[in-house]
Amino acid sequence: MGISATEDFIEGRGKTVIQGSGRKASDFHVVLLLGIGKYLSFKDCFYIQNSWGSTWGDQGRAYLSRKYFEDNFYGGYALSMP
């Protein structure tokens, strides 16, 4: 899916939920959506895989808050395998 990247997204470290604080640092970035669910105290989170390697987020993966998604989502595609 396409999202804009905020400062806290770019600096993402560990098992936290990225909430979209800071200014937008990039207008468009593509990530892979792995799932949607509850994490920590957040009811709706989007679990993603980024392409920046294992030093970003939690081994290259992170959680986005629903607010982050609503404020920064550009579009996406879904695939279905038979």
Side-chain angles (χ1 to χ4, degrees):
M1 65 181 187
I3 59 170
S4 57
T6 60
E7 290 173 333
D8 66 331
F9 180 91
I10 291 171
E11 297 168 1
R13 297 284 185 265
K15 296 181 180 184
T16 61
V17 177
I18 299 171
Q19 299 181 54
S21 60
R23 66 177 174 78
K24 288 185 181 178
S26 167
D27 284 334
F28 194 76
H29 181 63
V30 176
V31 296
L32 175 64
L33 177 63
L34 300 172
I36 300 170
K38 182 179 178 180
Y39 183 70
L40 299 175
S41 63
F42 292 84
K43 185 167 60 171
D44 297 319
C45 285
F46 295 80
Y47 189 46
I48 62 159
Q49 173 75 46
N50 199 356
S51 61
W52 293 347
S54 62
T55 59
W56 180 86
D58 179 23
Q59 299 296 311
R61 296 180 176 186
Y63 294 89
L64 303 179
S65 71
R66 181 182 186 103
K67 180 168 179 13
Y68 189 102
F69 180 81
E70 290 172 348
D71 292 347
N72 297 288
F73 178 74
Y74 279 102
Y77 294 95
L79 300 174
S80 176
M81 303 296 281

